[in-house]
């Protein structure tokens, strides 16, 4: 299509398209239930609409940069790493990350062990440190397959784990939440914490990828 | 061994691990029983929660990965039965 067409005609053309519907305009059973419970809580004064909005904004504002900060600190401070592996929640609080009542277990990748996390029962995820989970993490495909053929699933993500590295799958079935500490990439010996944190991606902390190379 | 039982309700022990043999990786603490919490009851007394490690080849007879690959699952004490021999 040429860019020197008649602009007026093009403008009229655009308006012939019907507006695209919202993706959430179907009132399903659970959407109706969520709206009913939320409106009742507001009517009864348990919560305000502002509380709900603030909490949604808070969760939407969380992202993998929080978990990355923790991993990068562990890469440069081995005493911190030991505390992090012993008690993830306390180690997060120690560097100013608010994890609320989250019971965090950090699992470390080593030359002989690769860790990956899943919640086969629902979608448990360290949201306080990674933000909302990606859609694939909640899919039946990932949840049912990564627990029984982790090597094949990781390969689909482009992550081929050598045969001499054992894979440890963590199924978050109850009260713990997991974060994978990926291995520190080679060639980063003199890097600072902020620089290192940029290599620690969301997927590397789920365990479906390695940290980005230097 | 994980109990092989199929009660109705909000159970946090996945089907695939019931009846399987594993070893305790760590004790996580004690938490209100989710099978009670789900019905708005107190969940007390709190149930000890363990992380249990299973060899993948013991969980899936046709497991195609490496022999030492493992899966670790959180399981409440009332779903576990002690065995004489560690595996």
């Amino acid at each position: 299509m040429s860019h020197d067409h008649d602009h007026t005609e093009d403008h009229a053309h655009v308006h012939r398209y019907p507006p695209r519907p919202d993706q959430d305009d179907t009132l399903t059973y659970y959407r109706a239930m969520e709206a009913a419970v939320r409106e009742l809580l507001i009517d009864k004064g348990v919560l305000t609409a502002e509380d709900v909005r603030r909490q949604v904004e808070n969760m939407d504002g969380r992202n993998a940069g929080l978990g990355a900060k923790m991993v990068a600190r562990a890469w440069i401070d081995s005493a911190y790493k030991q505390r992090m592996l012993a008690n993830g929640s306390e180690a997060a609080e120690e560097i100013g990350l608010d994890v609320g009542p989250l019971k965090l277990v950090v699992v470390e990748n080593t030359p002989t062990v690769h860790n990956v996390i899943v919640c086969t029962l629902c979608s448990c995820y360290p949201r306080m440190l990674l933000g909302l989970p990606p859609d694939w993490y909640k899919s039946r495909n990932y949840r049912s397959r990564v627990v029984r053929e982790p090597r094949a699933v990781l390969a689909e993500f482009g992550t081929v784990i050598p045969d001499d590295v054992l894979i440890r799958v963590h199924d978050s079935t109850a009260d713990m939440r997991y974060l994978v500490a990926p291995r520190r990439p080679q060639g980063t010996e003199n890097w600072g914490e902020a620089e290192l944190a940029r290599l620690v991606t969301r997927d590397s902390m789920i365990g479906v990828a390695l940290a980005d190379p230097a | 061994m994980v109990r092989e039982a199929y009660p109705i309700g909000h159970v946090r022990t996945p089907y695939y691990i019931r009846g399987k043999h594993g070893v305790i990786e760590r004790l996580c603490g004690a938490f209100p029983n989710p099978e009670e919490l789900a019905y708005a009851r107190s969940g007390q007394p709190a149930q000890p929660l363990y992380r249990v490690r299973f060899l993948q080849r013991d969980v899936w007879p046709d497991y195609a990965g490496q022999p030492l690959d493992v899966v670790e699952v959180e399981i409440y004490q009332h779903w576990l039965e002690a065995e004489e021999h560690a595996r």
Side-chain angles (χ1 to χ4, degrees):
Chain A
M1 187 172 164
S2 162
H3 284 277
D4 55 359
H5 56 272
D6 181 294
H7 190 263
T8 313
E9 188 181 295
D10 186 56
H11 192 68
H13 178 73
V14 164
H15 281 265
R16 280 188 218 119
Y17 288 102
R20 194 178 67 179
D22 289 344
Q23 289 180 331
D24 61 351
D25 65 346
T26 309
L27 192 62
T28 61
Y29 174 83
Y30 289 106
R31 283 191 177 132
M33 185 162 76
E34 183 275 326
V37 171
R38 172 166 38 82
E39 287 172 12
L40 275 169
L41 288 169
I42 292 169
D43 283 351
K44 289 179 177 295
V46 179
L47 294 172
T48 65
E50 162 71 6
D51 292 332
V52 175
R53 182 205 62 73
R54 188 178 297 278
Q55 189 57 25
V56 170
E57 185 181 41
N58 179 297
M59 281 314 300
D60 282 348
R62 290 181 181 267
N63 63 66
L66 301 169
K69 183 178 169 191
M70 201 169 165
V71 172
R73 174 66 62 92
W75 281 349
I76 59 174
D77 181 343
S78 61
Y80 179 78
K81 184 173 90 173
Q82 293 312 316
R83 293 196 293 280
M84 177 182 82
L85 296 175
N87 188 323
S89 300
E90 284 180 11
E93 299 285 355
E94 180 185 328
I95 58 170
L97 300 173
D98 162 36
V99 293
L102 176 79
K103 303 285 180 207
L104 182 71
V105 175
V106 182
V107 289
E108 184 193 18
N109 287 349
T110 71
T112 55
V113 178
H114 182 87
N115 296 279
V116 60
I117 62 176
V118 63
C119 173
T120 60
L121 296 177
C122 45
S123 57
C124 298
Y125 186 77
R127 294 170 187 229
M128 303 301 275
L129 293 175
L130 296 186
L132 295 175
D135 286 347
W136 57 257
Y137 184 84
K138 300 182 279 184
S139 70
R140 281 182 177 270
N141 185 308
Y142 178 76
R143 288 161 47 213
S144 61
R145 292 183 55 230
V146 80
V147 77
R148 68 168 295 156
E149 47 174 349
R151 288 173 187 272
V153 172
L154 292 183
E156 289 168 22
F157 279 101
T159 305
V160 176
I161 304 300
D163 286 350
D164 59 354
V165 174
L166 83 84
I167 294 197
R168 195 170 278 164
V169 178
H170 302 271
D171 190 355
S172 1
T173 49
D175 295 84
M176 304 292 122
R177 297 294 176 269
Y178 298 90
L179 188 80
V180 175
R183 293 179 64 196
R184 181 174 177 166
Q186 291 179 338
T188 59
E189 289 71 20
N190 300 314
W191 289 32
E193 184 181 321
E195 227 177 346
L196 287 168
R198 283 197 290 275
L199 305 179
V200 188
T201 61
R202 175 196 70 188
D203 287 359
S204 74
M205 290 181 280
I206 300 174
V208 296
L210 309 180
D212 282 347
Chain B
M1 188 180 98
V2 184
R3 265 173 52 212
E4 188 156 12
Y6 301 91
I8 293 169
H10 181 79
V11 174
R12 304 295 305 181
T13 306
Y15 271 57
Y16 73 84
I17 218 68
R18 298 185 196 177
K20 307 297 183 188
H21 305 263
V23 296
I24 305 288
E25 190 264 345
R26 73 178 80 172
L27 171 64
C28 302
F31 297 89
N33 184 349
E35 294 162 32
E36 297 292 308
L37 284 183
Y39 297 94
R41 296 189 286 258
S42 74
Q44 298 299 330
Q47 274 290 330
L49 178 69
Y50 298 90
R51 302 194 68 240
V52 186
R53 178 176 290 173
F54 302 86
L55 281 172
Q56 287 278 30
R57 58 192 161 96
D58 289 342
V59 178
W60 315 105
D62 60 347
Y63 185 68
Q66 292 300 307
L68 295 180
D69 286 356
V70 296
V71 57
E72 299 186 359
V73 186
E74 291 157 50
I75 303 179
Y76 290 94
Q77 183 167 273
H78 66 290
W79 273 91
L80 294 172
E81 290 170 356
E83 291 182 287
E84 301 231 338
H85 303 286
R87 285 169 62 97

